[in-house]
């Protein structure tokens, strides 16, 4: 669909769609015409059924399907890449039971994986944010790309919360930078976590966690209704270790116990279970059980080493919305199914 842009779809829809019409699911990139075409040509729904699904009149459905034919949306020669992404997204949603999945088509290496996925996730996040949201933000390459690509808009009632403590080695895409970028671009309030990500001993952590400032920051953190995060592998080349946030020596005991994924400094195995260890008593930030309680959990990740970590998070039920790319989606679906905890 190289010639079809979301803006073009909006030229058709505003005059015809009711004010209560539904927003297209993420996998259709916000394009109601593509959504209608998919339901009609791929899922075999009738025009009346599509009208009820989209919250519009049957006449509007007829117009949209006509537009889809005229602009090439349903032409295999130009629509293959988009429909392929939709097929993968729907397969992932069905297999893992998540609410939404957005699969970004490949671009033959013109942009790095994390930038393509970050840009797509930025659009998705911008469309979902509401004035009174409390948004938790992790850190990493892809989350930084999201924070830099969010379209400027005014949402002064939104609180953006840093969910992990600080680390000197993560300056390129630190938790502070990811959170502050998002807050600045939407005009929201940024809540920094004024503590190191890892302290020297459990006693130091216990002492810091009694500080009134941290008590208040964790209180706000507990009210998050959305969160956006990346996920890392346990390899030495992954972001968590490459940046110095974690050392290979600190990660080795977790690898020995089967960990395959790192989320906000915490470790998870292939069955989606949290892998505990000595480091947990020195980490300051949101825990995996804390994350699991947040209603909307958006995972943004792509790359040759991310399929197994994403699979672990999906298996554990820690993701409600996934944004990834086509190659990673295929790898993810090729991995064997595992039962959760």
């Amino acid at each position: 669909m190289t010639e079809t842009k979301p803006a073009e779809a909006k030229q058709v829809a505003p005059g015809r769609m009711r004010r209560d019409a539904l927003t297209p699911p993420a996998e259709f990139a916000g394009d109601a015409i593509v959504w209608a075409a998919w339901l009609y040509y791929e899922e075999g729904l009738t025009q009346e059924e599509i009208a009820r699904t989209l919250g519009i009149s049957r006449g509007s459905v007829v117009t949209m399907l006509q537009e889809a034919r005229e602009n090439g949306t349903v032409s295999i020669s130009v629509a293959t890449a988009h429909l392929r992404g939709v097929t993968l997204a729907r397969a992932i949603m069905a297999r893992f039971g998540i609410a939404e999945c957005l699969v970004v088509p490949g671009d033959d290496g013109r942009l790095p994986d994390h930038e393509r996925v970050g840009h797509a996730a930025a659009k998705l996040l911008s469309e979902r944010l509401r004035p009174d949201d409390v948004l938790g933000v992790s850190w990493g390459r892809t989350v930084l790309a999201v924070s830099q690509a969010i379209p400027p808009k005014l949402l002064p009632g939104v609180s953006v919360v840093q969910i992990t403590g600080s680390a000197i080695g993560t300056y390129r895409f630190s938790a502070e930078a990811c959170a502050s970028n998002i807050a600045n671009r939407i005009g929201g309030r940024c809540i920094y976590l004024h503590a190191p990500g890892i302290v020297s001993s459990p006693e130091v952590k216990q002492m810091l966690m009694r500080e009134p400032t941290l008590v208040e920051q964790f209180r706000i953190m507990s009210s998050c209704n959305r969160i956006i995060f990346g996920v890392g592998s346990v390899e030495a080349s992954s972001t968590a270790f490459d940046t110095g946030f974690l050392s290979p020596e600190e990660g080795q005991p977790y690898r020995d116990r089967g960990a395959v994924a790192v989320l906000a400094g915490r470790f998870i195995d292939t069955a989606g279970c949290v892998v505990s260890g000595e480091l947990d008593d020195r980490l300051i930030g949101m825990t995996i059980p804390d994350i699991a309680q947040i209603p909307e959990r958006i995972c943004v990740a792509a790359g040759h080493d991310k399929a197994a970590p994403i699979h672990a998070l999906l298996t554990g039920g820690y993701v409600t919305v996934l944004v990834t790319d086509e190659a990673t989606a295929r790898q993810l679906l090729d991995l064997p199914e595992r039962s959760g905890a």
Side-chain angles (χ1 to χ4, degrees):
M1 295 184 313
T2 55
E3 297 301 321
T4 304
K5 301 177 182 177
E8 294 173 351
K10 291 177 182 177
Q11 293 174 4
V12 175
R16 301 180 174 88
M17 295 181 73
R18 297 204 309 260
R19 297 184 67 176
D20 61 345
L22 300 176
T23 301
E27 63 267 29
F28 297 101
D31 193 327
I33 289 178
V34 175
W35 189 16
W38 174 271
L39 293 174
Y40 188 74
Y41 291 102
E42 295 293 325
E43 296 195 4
L45 270 64
T46 66
Q47 293 175 357
E48 189 64 38
E49 290 170 333
I50 295 169
R52 289 197 298 270
T53 300
L54 273 64
I56 58 178
S57 68
R58 183 177 178 279
S60 294
V61 173
V62 173
T63 301
M64 294 169 77
L65 294 175
Q66 178 64 30
E67 174 70 9
R69 290 190 293 272
E70 291 175 355
N71 68 23
T73 297
V74 298
S75 171
I76 294 176
S77 62
V78 296
T80 300
H82 188 92
L83 296 181
R84 188 168 58 235
V86 171
T87 300
L88 290 169
R90 294 246 151 170
I92 289 170
M93 291 162 60
R95 176 167 168 179
F96 296 100
I98 61 174
E100 289 191 64
C101 179
L102 177 58
V103 175
V104 182
D107 70 346
D108 298 320
R110 287 189 292 273
L111 281 178
D113 299 334
H114 68 275
E115 288 190 21
R116 289 187 298 112
V117 170
H119 292 174
K123 183 176 183 298
L124 179 144
L125 180 61
S126 177
E127 292 172 350
R128 301 173 92 83
L129 283 174
R130 297 295 179 265
D132 296 322
D133 279 349
V134 180
L135 174 69
V137 178
S138 185
W139 62 277
R141 287 187 183 89
T142 310
V143 177
L144 181 65
V146 173
S147 75
Q148 294 171 330
I150 287 185
K153 62 190 301 184
L154 192 60
L155 289 170
V158 173
S159 295
V160 182
V161 185
Q162 175 186 336
I163 69 158
T164 61
S166 306
I168 294 174
T170 64
Y171 68 92
R172 287 174 291 168
F173 24 78
S174 66
E176 296 92 334
C178 293
S180 63
N181 283 348
I182 294 176
N184 289 338
R185 294 182 75 83
I186 65 173
R189 176 179 67 151
C190 189
I191 310 297
Y192 297 103
L193 185 54
H194 297 301
I198 303 175
V199 295
S200 57
S201 70
E203 292 74 25
V204 170
K205 175 180 177 178
Q206 292 168 12
M207 179 183 66
L208 286 174
M209 292 297 289
R210 291 194 293 268
E211 286 294 312
T213 299
L214 277 186
V215 171
E216 175 61 12
Q217 289 166 348
F218 271 85
R219 183 195 68 77
I220 297 172
M221 194 185 301
S222 69
S223 67
C224 286
N225 65 312
R226 303 182 197 275
I227 186 170
I228 187 163
F229 53 82
V231 61
S233 73
V234 295
E235 302 303 321
S237 58
S238 71
T239 302
F241 297 101
D242 181 54
T243 59
F245 182 79
L246 299 170
S247 71
E249 292 74 24
E250 289 170 324
Q252 190 58 52
Y254 294 90
R255 284 191 290 268
D256 292 343
R257 289 196 287 274
V260 297
V262 182
L263 170 57
R266 318 282 175 164
F267 292 81
I268 298 171
D269 66 17
T270 55
C273 300
V274 176
V275 180
S276 302
E278 179 272 338
L279 187 61
D280 300 316
D281 294 328
R282 297 192 287 119
L283 281 166
I284 295 181
M286 190 174 278
T287 67
I288 300 298
D290 293 336
I291 291 172
Q293 295 301 310
I294 298 174
E296 182 167 84
R297 306 179 293 278
I298 306 171
C299 178
V300 292
H304 69 278
D305 62 339
K306 294 298 179 73
I310 294 171
H311 191 280
L313 264 60
L314 289 168
T315 302
Y318 306 118
V319 178
T320 61
V321 179
L322 174 65
V323 185
T324 190
D325 69 354
E326 187 177 334
T328 309
R330 290 188 183 282
Q331 287 182 299
L332 183 60
L333 290 168
D334 284 341
L335 291 172
E337 295 190 51
R338 301 177 188 275
S339 58

